[in-house]
Amino acid sequence: MRPLIIIPTYNERDNIQKLIPILMELDLSLSILVVDDNSPDGTGKLVNDMSEQNDRIQVLHRPSKLGLGSAYIAGFKHAIQQDVDCIFEMDADFSHDPNMIPEFLEKLETCDVVIGSRYISGINVVNWPMSRLLLSYFANFYTRIITGMSIQDATGGFKCFKREVLEQIDLDQVRSDGYAFQIEMNFRCWRKGFRICEIPIIFVDRHSGTSKMSRRIIYEAIWIVWWLRLQRLFRRL
Ligand SMILES: Nc1nc2c(ncn2[C@@H]2O[C@H](COP(=O)(O)OP(=O)(O)OP(=O)(O)O)[C@@H](O)[C@H]2O)c(=O)[nH]1
Ligand SMILES: [Mg+2]
């Protein structure tokens, strides 16, 4: 398996500087694609310097903060042009433990999409305020009810797709950006009949840097699940 790990970044200099060497030491034949939105803290420049030293590290520069969903779409399009077998989504801020990657790869032998789930085998979230945990937990409950998907953690951002999955999804049609982006990608995979599996992960709140969580991200997720339901009803998805 040749995995590609996509990491979108916006002002994650300290985190990415530590994360990339850890990923490289995992001794998997993985490569890394950072999608940076011209971070004012110089994240893009830092990764650029790293990529000149190591051809397993790549960086895609975008002109400004254009959103998480579109960063992943740009990364996916780039990824499927390359000789890789599976594509990961991963945050830069150490909420996602790099040591879990081998377990995703193992699970991929029997599934097409593997989601790192905070909500199977209990609630595995460390250091989040109760309000945020409740929001996330409720968002997942709401998503299950409205969309009909039985995924426990549909908003999680640590996941892996077989390349065939991303090749078959019409990436230009994906419209959402924040947590809704994760829900929409899962929904599209589910409607195409791909096997979606979850494995338990422990999610830890960001080590450093600032949060990009916003009200807009929540509102988007609220209406997108209804939009997905309608798309399904009219058999457009
Ligand atoms: N390229 C790009 N990356 C982004 C954007 N928004 C967020 N990110 C990155 O996406 C990943 C997830 O974003 P986070 O801000 O950690 O989102 P979160 O985990 O829900 O919330 P916090 O950890 O509380 O900030 C991180 O690596 C961010 O740097 C964006 O607009 N563009
Ligand atoms: Mg985070």
Side-chain angles (χ1 to χ4, degrees), residues 10-28:
Y10 191 74
N11 286 344
E12 303 283 5
R13 200 187 145 86
D14 291 348
N15 287 320
I16 202 81
Q17 190 163 22
K18 295 185 194 120
L19 180 62
I20 289 181
I22 294 173
L23 286 168
M24 285 287 132
E25 276 169 22
L26 277 179
D27 197 29
L28 301 164

Side-chain angles (χ1 to χ4, degrees), residues 41-89:
D41 75 348
T43 305
K45 163 86 175 71
L46 174 85
V47 182
N48 220 27
D49 293 346
M50 293 171 118
S51 73
E52 281 165 12
Q53 307 295 321
N54 189 333
D55 59 10
R56 285 164 63 202
I57 305 169
Q58 307 166 46
V59 56
L60 223 152
H61 298 280
R62 303 199 306 164
S64 58
K65 190 174 187 309
L66 297 167
L68 180 76
S70 70
Y72 272 125
I73 296 296
F76 292 159
K77 288 182 177 172
H78 200 76
I80 55 180
Q81 304 300 320
Q82 300 182 30
D83 192 16
V84 295
D85 302 309
C86 61
I87 294 114
F88 277 79
E89 290 187 15

Side-chain angles (χ1 to χ4, degrees), residues 123-136:
I123 297 180
N124 294 311
V125 176
V126 179
N127 277 352
W128 253 7
M130 185 54 88
S131 56
R132 185 126 185 225
L133 176 63
L134 284 174
L135 173 70
S136 171

Side-chain angles (χ1 to χ4, degrees), residues 28-229:
L28 301 164
S29 49
L30 60 78
S31 43
I32 298 172
L33 172 64
V34 171
V35 185
D36 184 70
D37 280 2
N38 203 4
S39 298
D41 75 348
T43 305
K45 163 86 175 71
L46 174 85
V47 182
N48 220 27
D49 293 346
M50 293 171 118
S51 73
E52 281 165 12
Q53 307 295 321
N54 189 333
D55 59 10
R56 285 164 63 202
I57 305 169
Q58 307 166 46
V59 56
L60 223 152
H61 298 280
R62 303 199 306 164
S64 58
K65 190 174 187 309
L66 297 167
L68 180 76
S70 70
Y72 272 125
I73 296 296
F76 292 159
K77 288 182 177 172
H78 200 76
I80 55 180
Q81 304 300 320
Q82 300 182 30
D83 192 16
V84 295
D85 302 309
C86 61
I87 294 114
F88 277 79
E89 290 187 15
M90 186 178 190
D91 291 356
D93 60 3
F94 284 94
S95 287
H96 300 150
D97 179 0
N99 294 308
M100 285 301 293
I101 291 176
E103 287 183 42
F104 281 81
L105 295 174
E106 203 179 352
K107 195 76 180 172
L108 217 54
E109 286 168 18
T110 49
C111 307
D112 302 308
V113 180
V114 180
I115 301 175
S117 177
R118 297 163 288 189
Y119 308 122
I120 52 173
S121 359
I123 297 180
N124 294 311
V125 176
V126 179
N127 277 352
W128 253 7
M130 185 54 88
S131 56
R132 185 126 185 225
L133 176 63
L134 284 174
L135 173 70
S136 171
Y137 200 79
F138 175 75
N140 274 292
F141 176 71
Y142 170 82
T143 302
R144 276 196 299 280
I145 303 288
I146 313 294
T147 62
M149 286 191 291
S150 60
I151 299 171
Q152 298 302 307
D153 192 352
T155 56
F158 193 14
K159 58 213 273 194
C160 180
F161 305 89
K162 277 194 179 139
R163 74 170 290 133
E164 301 82 68
V165 175
L166 297 181
E167 279 169 344
Q168 285 184 45
I169 297 230
D170 189 349
L171 297 172
D172 289 321
Q173 294 297 314
V174 178
R175 53 188 300 173
S176 46
D177 218 48
Y179 294 117
F181 171 76
Q182 307 299 356
I183 299 170
E184 182 176 349
M185 283 301 296
N186 293 335
F187 193 85
R188 288 178 183 274
C189 294
W190 179 58
R191 296 301 293 160
K192 289 248 181 226
F194 288 115
R195 293 164 300 172
I196 304 177
C197 306
E198 292 180 87
I199 58 170
I201 56 158
I202 297 175
F203 179 95
V204 186
D205 196 14
R206 59 166 53 252
H207 279 191
S208 60
T210 49
S211 176
K212 282 119 215 155
M213 179 69 181
S214 69
R215 240 170 245 269
R216 196 187 62 80
I217 287 175
I218 301 171
Y219 295 145
E220 181 194 41
I222 292 173
W223 73 261
I224 212 87
V225 291
W226 286 101
W227 181 80
L228 292 170
R229 186 184 173 136

